[in-house]
């Protein structure tokens, strides 16, 4: 009898311990006492997942969720909930449902999911990025002239939970437009993809590598953005320019975003570390003197001094330069920024950027972003010689200051078009960065979008 009593006590103790879970419910009663058996919002039935204790209500792609009615709510017998049938909920954010049955409770998460059917990116042969017009449901991809359009492989990213036909990664004949259908429950979209072979590009992204795919991650990220956002754009190596294999008769602007791990510290290092560009100075000078424009960023800001933009003085290259290695980049503890130069707040380069606390600052990164702080700027001050003040810098270089660092260093500037020559915009601030090899937990992109906005503004200016 005593043995039976001890077993009974042990069983009671075990059951007591089991009932003290974080949800105040025993595993034995998990699927019974505190169950959400059915739930609908605005008559859209929720999908109940017992394992994750979640309820997902699928909605059309465009549907207002700020005031949704709980049209059905069925619970375990005898249970109650903090949300009632007939109640109106703001479902812009997930809701926590607490289901109680006597002394037992269980928390469920209720959220909605739109049946989005969109294509986010479309890349041909892992190199050529398509430009997506979401309103027209069209995608345009520009390829160099001479490529075989009949056997191209697209890599496509699209909405979660959706299906796409034809499938991503499957070779297609793009000699004519191809339609891609995306389906996601109640949502359905059809995109028309057109691949255009370019013999006369409108803009070029320059680099030392033979192909875009061979670029370093920083330059490649910038190039991919350009190919997807600036019409009739191609990548071209300096060797291509020297060989004359590209028809420049319709080219308006060339962009060189030159990254070098560890930095390029001034005139002499630029000569050593950019041999391909140095061997192409005649072609670059000719393009400029015939009205072609340039966008030079990072260490490429050295080029204007070598092609006669600043007169015959090659030593007008940036005098204050440094940088880190890409995969040893430092972490931004908060937004990094530089300042619009006094009187340049209305310059079109800064229009439409996302503003922060100080409207005179150009915020470029967010907390948790990894940045090499690659900088090619002009130190201003009599202590270094050459540029005693901002006026002295403009007089010597012929440039116009657009942005400065906290110590007054010139970090963004332009050389306006004149006498039939092209327009040049330069950004040498370390804040202007395209690639983070990783992101710290909690990273949210906000100000980093300004990099794209500024670049888009630059092309709008240079192609007028």
């Amino acid at each position: 009898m005593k043995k039976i009593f001890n077993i009974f006590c042990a069983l009671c103790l075990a059951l007591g311990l089991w009932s003290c879970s974080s949800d105040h419910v025993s595993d034995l009663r998990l699927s019974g006492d505190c169950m959400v058996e059915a739930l609908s919002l605005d008559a859209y039935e929720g999908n109940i997942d017992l394992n994750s204790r979640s309820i997902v209500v699928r909605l059309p792609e465009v549907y207002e969720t700020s005031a949704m009615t709980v049209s059905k709510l069925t619970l375990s017998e005898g249970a109650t909930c903090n949300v009632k049938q007939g109640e109106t909920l703001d479902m812009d954010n997930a809701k926590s449902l607490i289901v109680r049955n006597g002394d037992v409770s269980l928390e469920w998460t209720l959220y909605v999911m739109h049946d989005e059917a969109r294509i986010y990116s479309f890349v041909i042969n892992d190199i050529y990025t398509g430009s997506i017009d979401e309103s027209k449901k069209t995608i345009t991809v520009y390829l160099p002239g001479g490529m075989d359009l009949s056997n191209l492989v697209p890599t496509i990213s699209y909405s979660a939970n959706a299906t796409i036909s034809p499938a991503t990664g499957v070779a297609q004949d793009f000699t004519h437009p191809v339609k891609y259908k995306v389906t996601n429950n109640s949502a359905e979209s059809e995109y028309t993809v057109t691949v255009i072979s370019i013999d006369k590009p409108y803009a070029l992204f320059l680099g030392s590598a033979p192909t875009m795919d061979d670029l370093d991650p920083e330059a490649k990220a910038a190039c991919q953005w350009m190919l997807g956002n600036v019409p009739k754009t191609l990548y071209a190596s300096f060797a291509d320019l020297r060989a004359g294999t590209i028809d420049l008769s319709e080219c308006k602007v060339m962009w060189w975003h030159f990254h070098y791990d560890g930095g390029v510290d001034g005139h002499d290092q630029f000569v050593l570390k950019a041999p391909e560009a140095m061997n192409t100075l005649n072609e670059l000078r000719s393009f400029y003197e015939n009205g072609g424009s340039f966008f030079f960023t990072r260490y490429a800001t050295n080029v204007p001094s070598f092609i006669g933009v600043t007169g015959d003085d090659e030593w007008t290259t940036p005098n204050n330069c440094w940088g880190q290695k890409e995969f040893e980049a430092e972490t931004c503890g908060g937004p990094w920024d530089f300042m619009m130069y006094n009187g340049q707040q209305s310059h079109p380069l800064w229009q439409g950027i996302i503003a922060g606390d100080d409207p005179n600052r150009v915020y470029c990164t967010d907390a948790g972003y990894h940045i090499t702080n690659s900088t090619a700027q002009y130190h201003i001050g009599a202590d270094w010689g050459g540029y005693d003040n901002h006026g002295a810098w403009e007089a010597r270089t012929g440039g116009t200051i657009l942005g400065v660092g906290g110590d007054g260093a010139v970090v963004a500037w332009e050389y306006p078009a004149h006498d039939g020559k092209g327009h040049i915009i330069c950004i040498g601030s370390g804040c202007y960065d395209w690639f983070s090899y990783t992101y710290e937990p909690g990273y949210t992109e906000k100000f980093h979008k300004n990099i794209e906005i500024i670049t888009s503004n630059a092309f709008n200016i240079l192609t007028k």
Side-chain angles (χ1 to χ4, degrees):
M1 183 70 177
K2 183 177 180 180
K3 183 177 181 181
I4 295 175
F5 178 80
N6 288 340
I7 294 173
F8 175 77
C9 290
L11 180 59
C12 290
L13 178 60
L15 290 173
L17 290 174
W18 288 339
S19 65
C20 295
S21 69
S22 59
D23 293 309
H24 310 295
V25 60
S26 98
D27 290 344
L28 294 178
R29 304 170 68 187
L30 178 63
S31 62
D33 291 351
C34 300
M35 179 71 175
V36 176
E37 297 179 350
L39 186 148
S40 298
L41 296 174
D42 290 357
Y44 288 97
E45 189 77 21
N47 179 41
I48 298 170
D49 187 331
L50 179 60
N51 292 327
S52 62
R53 297 199 302 276
S54 63
I55 307 146
V56 181
V57 178
R58 299 287 295 268
L59 300 173
E61 185 170 2
V62 179
Y63 195 90
E64 177 58 50
T65 60
S66 61
M68 299 190 71
T69 301
V70 182
S71 51
K72 180 195 292 186
L73 179 60
T74 305
L75 307 173
S76 301
E77 183 177 354
T80 60
C81 183
N82 62 322
V83 171
K84 310 297 181 185
Q85 184 167 326
E87 186 174 344
T88 299
L89 302 177
D90 179 356
M91 290 306 303
D92 287 346
N93 296 297
K95 290 290 179 292
S96 176
L97 274 59
I98 307 298
V99 180
R100 300 183 183 278
N101 203 336
D103 294 330
V104 181
S105 67
L106 195 63
E107 182 177 2
W108 296 75
T109 301
L110 170 65
Y111 61 97
V112 298
M113 178 183 294
H114 289 275
D115 293 333
E116 182 183 82
R118 295 190 180 187
I119 290 178
Y120 298 133
S121 69
F122 194 98
V123 183
I124 294 288
N125 290 3
D126 293 326
I127 298 177
Y128 305 100
T129 302
S131 177
I132 301 175
D133 187 328
E134 185 59 38
S135 63
K136 297 179 180 178
K137 292 291 188 292
T138 60
I139 301 174
T140 306
V141 190
Y142 297 100
L143 272 62
M147 286 190 66
D148 179 10
L149 304 187
S150 66
N151 187 35
L152 302 174
V153 180
T155 300
I156 313 166
S157 66
Y158 49 93
S159 300
N161 302 309
T163 59
I164 189 168
S165 179
T168 179
V170 177
Q172 296 293 328
D173 180 354
F174 285 100
T175 53
H176 300 286
V178 177
K179 293 185 182 297
Y180 279 81
K181 187 175 183 179
V182 186
T183 305
N184 190 0
N185 202 30
S186 66
E188 187 175 283
S189 298
E190 187 173 73
Y191 292 78
T192 300
V193 179
T194 303
V195 176
I196 300 175
S197 180
I198 306 174
D199 293 316
K200 300 178 181 181
Y202 181 75
L204 291 178
F205 188 98
L206 300 177
S208 298
T211 70
M212 187 197 80
D213 208 37
D214 298 315
L215 290 170
D216 62 89
E218 171 69 23
K220 186 175 181 179
C223 184
Q224 286 176 323
W225 178 89
M226 181 176 173
L227 295 181
N229 292 274
V230 181
K232 296 186 67 175
T233 300
L234 292 178
Y235 172 78
S237 69
F238 289 111
D240 292 330
L241 291 187
R242 289 197 304 277
T245 57
I246 298 176
D247 187 337
L248 300 178
S249 61
E250 295 182 10
C251 186
K252 301 295 184 183
V253 59
M254 297 183 189
W255 178 18
W256 187 24
H257 182 63
F258 178 30
H259 170 79
Y260 195 98
D261 268 359
V264 179
D265 190 10
H267 178 281
D268 289 348
Q269 280 203 24
F270 181 79
V271 173
L272 292 174
K273 294 180 177 180
E276 288 292 325
M278 293 299 297
N279 290 334
T280 318
L281 292 180
N282 288 337
E283 289 76 14
L284 298 177
R285 182 192 291 263
S286 176
F287 181 74
Y288 166 67
E289 291 181 344
N290 284 284
S293 295
F294 285 108
F295 184 38
F296 290 127
T297 50
R298 197 160 285 192
Y299 306 118
T301 55
N302 283 272
V303 173
S305 298
F306 288 94
I307 61 174
V309 179
T310 59
D312 295 327
D313 188 357
E314 290 184 359
W315 293 92
T316 50
T317 53
N319 64 357
N320 188 202
C321 311
W322 65 85
Q324 300 170 16
K325 295 181 178 180
E326 192 66 72
F327 293 95
E328 298 175 4
E330 64 183 294
T331 304
C332 295
W336 282 30
D337 62 78
F338 58 89
M339 299 187 68
M340 303 172 196
Y341 187 56
N342 186 34
Q344 295 290 357
Q345 285 80 357
S346 62
H347 194 281
L349 189 64
W350 313 132
Q351 300 312 297
I353 63 173
I354 300 167
D357 295 336
D358 185 344
N360 296 312
R361 292 182 179 273
V362 180
Y363 295 89
C364 298
T365 67
D366 304 279
Y369 183 93
H370 288 251
I371 191 168
T372 62
N373 193 18
S374 298
T375 301
Q377 64 183 19
Y378 290 89
H379 175 80
I380 301 298
D383 54 331
W384 282 26
Y387 310 106
D388 290 355
N389 52 55
H390 290 125
W393 181 89
E394 291 189 331
R396 181 177 174 187
T397 65
T400 301
I401 301 172
L402 303 179
V404 295
D407 61 353
V410 178
V411 300
W413 61 98
E414 68 179 335
Y415 302 101
H418 65 93
D419 301 325
K421 298 178 181 179
H423 189 166
I424 298 176
I425 292 177
C426 296
I427 300 179
S429 171
C431 299
Y432 184 86
D433 194 284
W434 282 91
F435 175 80
S436 177
Y437 73 90
T438 187
Y439 301 94
E440 294 299 306
Y443 169 80
T444 301
E445 184 172 85
K446 178 183 178 183
F447 293 121
H448 189 245
K449 293 179 181 178
N450 280 335
I451 301 301
E452 296 183 14
I453 296 172
I454 292 168
T455 305
S456 181
N457 288 342
F459 275 96
N460 289 335
I461 296 167
L462 297 172
T463 55
K464 285 185 177 178

